[in-house]
């Protein structure tokens, strides 16, 4: 019979063993302020001895190792035999498995679109009753996460199918603290202050922004992120949703307004390093390098949380480079919206153990164990941010938990021919100045209409 020795040497040994196995756990066993009480309560209420659970997801290498550390705690708490399999072709494989009737119990989807499509085909099981209410109460901007995980079944009935776990933040502006100190610049707290800061930088003979839209066959996507962030700062979230679903056409005046705001910020040679009309020729991986030149080519770079991977080797985050929240317009009174992406769990094969694992994901402990390893952010309000492995993760986590609205990357939610097609190419045309906002919007809308 399974013995639950949670909070004891057995549970702590899992941490020690994970560390010895080369995981990225940065907290010594018994330290870090983990919410052991939530773990012990979960363990006391669930015994899955003799049962198995299969989990399929996109995480490989280090990310897979981090998640397997969490799996080990679930097994220790419940007595279940849980196995994780990662794949870089999840989108194709999960459809094959579902159609063959051999889907795993739980699948970790890298974006909502595929999960939504599978729910519509009857391949998903709704999450346990009460999960939606729990998310509303325990996640920052909780209704946003409920909206992102709620889909229709084949009969058109809505239910919560997706539980988000590990998200990233795109609403960030990167800068060099030393450069700001040299000019006595302060981090802006509103979009009005952000624009005023750019004007001050120009007056000082400096260039505010570096920008690169180049990404091989995906060239243009960084511009779509700019537009999505601005849409959330200029219009309510329901307008964003209508735009992403095309219930509001791309030609709507509100979309044109956002496109023109993007162009005002990024189409001015005074504001952008190099030629503002030639940003598509600059690879997005190279674009932040101007921050580090001496003298700097630019003072700021708006990009997602992954961009430090392309900073010069040896860059110390928080010292050599830092970030701030891409601010909202104070006059719009739209709170603190955050744009990002993330992964979500969905039940792809009915198994009581899958429901129990979702319950495990509700514990602060489950999030804190992941927070103690690099590359994880959570909107869980009860998870202690002290457990983040470094100050950079902690700062981004605070932006996430302070969000009043969270919305998923819009181009990822649009049909491929639009979000990864006409929207990307249209933004290249618009950013180059070769086409105006109305023309680009009409062409993107035409591509939507061609799908109907």
């Amino acid at each position: 019979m399974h013995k639950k020795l949670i909070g004891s040497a057995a549970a702590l040994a899992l941490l020690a063993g994970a560390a010895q196995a080369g995981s990225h756990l940065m907290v010594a066993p018994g330290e870090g302020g983990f919410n052991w009480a939530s773990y012990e309560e979960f363990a006391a209420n669930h015994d899955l001895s003799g049962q198995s659970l299969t989990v399929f997801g996109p995480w490989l290498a280090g990310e897979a190792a981090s998640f397997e550390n969490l799996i080990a705690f679930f097994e220790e708490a419940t007595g279940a035999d849980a196995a994780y399999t990662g794949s870089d072709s999840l989108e194709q494989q999960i459809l094959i498995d579902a159609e063959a009737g051999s889907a795993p119990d739980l699948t970790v989807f890298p974006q909502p679109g595929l999960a939504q499509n599978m729910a519509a085909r009857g391949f998903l099981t709704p999450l346990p009753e009460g999960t939606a209410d729990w998310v509303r109460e325990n996640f920052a901007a909780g209704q946003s996460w409920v909206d992102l995980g709620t889909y229709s079944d084949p009969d058109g009935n809505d239910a919560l199918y997706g539980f988000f776990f590990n998200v990233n933040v795109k609403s960030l502006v990167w800068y060099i603290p030393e450069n700001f100190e040299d000019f006595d610049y302060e981090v802006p707290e509103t979009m009005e202050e952000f624009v005023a800061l750019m004007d001050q930088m120009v007056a000082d003979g400096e260039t505010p922004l570096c920008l690169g839209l180049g990404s091989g066959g995906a060239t243009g996507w960084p511009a779509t992120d700019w537009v999505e962030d601005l849409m959330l700062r200029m219009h309510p979230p329901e307008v964003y949703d209508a735009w992403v679903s095309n219930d509001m056409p791309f030609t709507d005046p509100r979309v044109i307004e956002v496109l023109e705001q993007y162009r005002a910020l990024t189409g001015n040679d005074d504001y952008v390093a190099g030629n503002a009309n030639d940003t598509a020729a600059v690879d997005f991986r190279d674009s932040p390098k101007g921050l580090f030149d001496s003298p700097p080519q630019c003072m700021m770079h708006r990009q997602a949380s992954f961009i430090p991977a392309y900073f010069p080797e040896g860059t110390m985050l928080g010292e050599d480079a830092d970030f701030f929240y891409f601010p909202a317009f104070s006059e719009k009174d739209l709170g603190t919206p955050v744009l990002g992406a993330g992964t979500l769990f969905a039940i792809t094969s009915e198994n009581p153990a899958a429901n129990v694992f979702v319950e495990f994901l509700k514990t602060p402990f489950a999030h804190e164990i992941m927070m103690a390893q690099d590359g994880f952010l959570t909107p869980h309000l009860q998870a202690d941010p002290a457990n983040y492995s470094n100050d950079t993760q902690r700062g981004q986590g605070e932006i996430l938990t302070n969000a009043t609205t969270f919305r998923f990357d819009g181009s990822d939610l649009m049909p491929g021919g639009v979000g990864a097609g006409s929207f990307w190419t249209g933004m290249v045309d618009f950013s180059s100045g070769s086409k105006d906002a109305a023309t680009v919007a009409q062409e993107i809308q035409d591509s939507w209409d061609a799908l109907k």
Side-chain angles (χ1 to χ4, degrees):
M1 181 176 179
H2 175 60
K3 296 181 180 179
K4 296 173 179 173
L5 304 176
I6 308 311
S8 66
L12 293 175
L14 289 171
L15 278 175
Q20 293 169 2
S23 88
H24 294 90
L25 280 171
M26 302 294 288
V27 182
E31 297 180 356
F34 295 135
N35 191 326
W36 290 102
S38 68
Y39 186 41
E40 292 167 350
E41 181 180 0
F42 169 80
N45 292 327
H46 299 95
D47 190 342
L48 300 176
S49 299
Q51 299 186 45
S52 62
L53 176 72
T54 54
V55 184
F56 183 42
W59 300 318
L60 300 170
E63 288 183 308
S66 295
F67 181 64
E68 285 167 352
N69 291 337
L70 184 65
I71 289 274
F73 280 98
F74 175 75
E75 290 180 315
E76 172 66 18
T78 64
D81 180 12
Y84 170 75
T85 301
S87 172
D88 58 4
S89 58
L90 178 144
E91 291 87 348
Q92 295 78 30
Q93 189 61 49
I94 188 58
L95 282 172
I96 294 171
D97 292 346
E99 290 170 349
S102 57
D105 301 322
L106 284 166
T107 298
V108 186
F109 290 90
Q111 56 180 261
L114 178 56
Q116 183 175 19
N117 291 340
M118 290 191 64
R121 296 182 61 183
F123 290 143
L124 300 186
T125 298
L127 295 178
E129 185 177 353
T131 301
D133 288 339
W134 183 93
V135 171
R136 289 188 188 95
E137 294 173 5
N138 291 277
F139 275 12
Q143 186 59 48
S144 296
W145 301 105
V146 172
D147 293 343
L148 285 167
T150 299
Y151 317 125
S152 298
D153 67 13
D155 296 323
N157 300 310
D158 290 343
L160 183 68
Y161 289 96
F163 187 99
F164 278 84
F165 191 76
N166 194 11
V167 301
N168 62 59
V169 174
K170 295 197 172 192
S171 302
L172 302 176
V173 179
W174 297 87
Y175 71 105
I176 308 301
E178 183 178 354
N179 292 343
F180 268 44
E181 291 170 7
D182 289 345
F183 287 91
D184 200 27
Y185 295 147
E186 294 185 0
V187 169
E189 296 184 357
T190 68
M191 184 60 71
E192 291 87 350
E193 291 180 0
F194 182 76
V195 175
L197 176 60
M198 293 203 299
D199 289 336
Q200 182 60 54
M201 290 172 175
V202 172
D204 292 338
E206 302 300 317
T207 302
L209 299 172
C210 281
L211 178 62
L213 308 184
S215 186
T219 293
W221 70 258
T224 68
D225 281 2
W226 267 89
V227 171
E228 291 154 8
D229 244 338
L230 288 170
M231 179 67 78
L232 288 172
R233 282 151 181 74
M234 296 174 69
H235 299 289
E238 56 266 24
V239 172
Y240 182 93
D241 296 340
W243 169 59
V244 168
S245 66
N246 205 226
D247 289 338
M248 179 181 77
F250 237 94
T251 51
D252 188 279
R254 289 166 290 187
V255 181
I256 303 298
E257 178 189 20
V258 171
L259 291 174
E260 290 177 342
Q261 180 67 61
Y262 161 78
R263 184 67 175 155
L265 294 176
T266 65
N268 183 334
D269 283 339
D270 289 338
Y271 283 170
V272 178
N275 184 339
N277 287 340
D278 202 26
T279 51
V282 180
D283 192 283
F284 81 93
R285 289 156 284 218
D286 295 330
S287 57
K289 294 178 180 178
L291 291 170
F292 300 90
D293 287 345
S294 184
Q297 292 185 34
C298 61
M299 288 289 179
M300 300 181 291
H301 183 66
R302 187 224 147 274
Q303 188 50 276
S305 53
F306 65 78
I307 201 62
Y310 304 105
F311 287 175
E313 186 176 354
T315 298
M316 294 292 294
L317 297 183
E319 298 179 15
D320 304 326
D322 209 341
F323 62 89
F324 59 84
Y325 168 70
F326 186 49
F329 288 96
S330 61
E331 64 180 23
K332 298 288 187 180
D333 195 26
L334 293 172
T336 53
V338 170
L339 177 72
T343 55
L344 63 141
F345 279 83
I347 300 173
T348 41
S349 181
E350 291 191 52
N351 178 351
N355 287 349
V356 174
F357 193 85
V358 172
E359 295 302 315
F360 180 53
L361 296 180
K362 295 178 182 178
T363 66
F365 179 89
H367 294 252
E368 290 167 352
I369 288 297
M370 297 300 294
M371 291 159 70
Q373 305 174 91
D374 278 342
F376 182 87
L377 293 176
T378 177
H380 198 316
L381 293 169
Q382 309 309 318
D384 186 351
N387 287 298
Y388 276 116
S389 63
N390 55 64
D391 288 340
T392 297
Q393 292 293 105
R394 188 172 299 108
Q396 292 173 9
E398 289 174 355
I399 288 174
L400 191 57
T401 53
N402 287 333
T404 55
T405 299
F406 182 94
R407 284 297 184 267
F408 208 90
D409 182 299
S411 62
D412 283 349
L413 298 178
M414 296 174 185
V418 178
S422 60
F423 193 9
W424 286 354
T425 57
M427 290 309 301
V428 170
D429 292 339
F430 185 50
S431 300
S432 71
S434 64
K435 294 179 181 178
D436 63 20
T439 300
V440 167
Q442 185 62 62
E443 291 177 350
I444 297 173
Q445 183 57 43
D446 289 344
S447 71
W448 267 104
D449 293 341
L451 300 174
K452 298 176 181 178

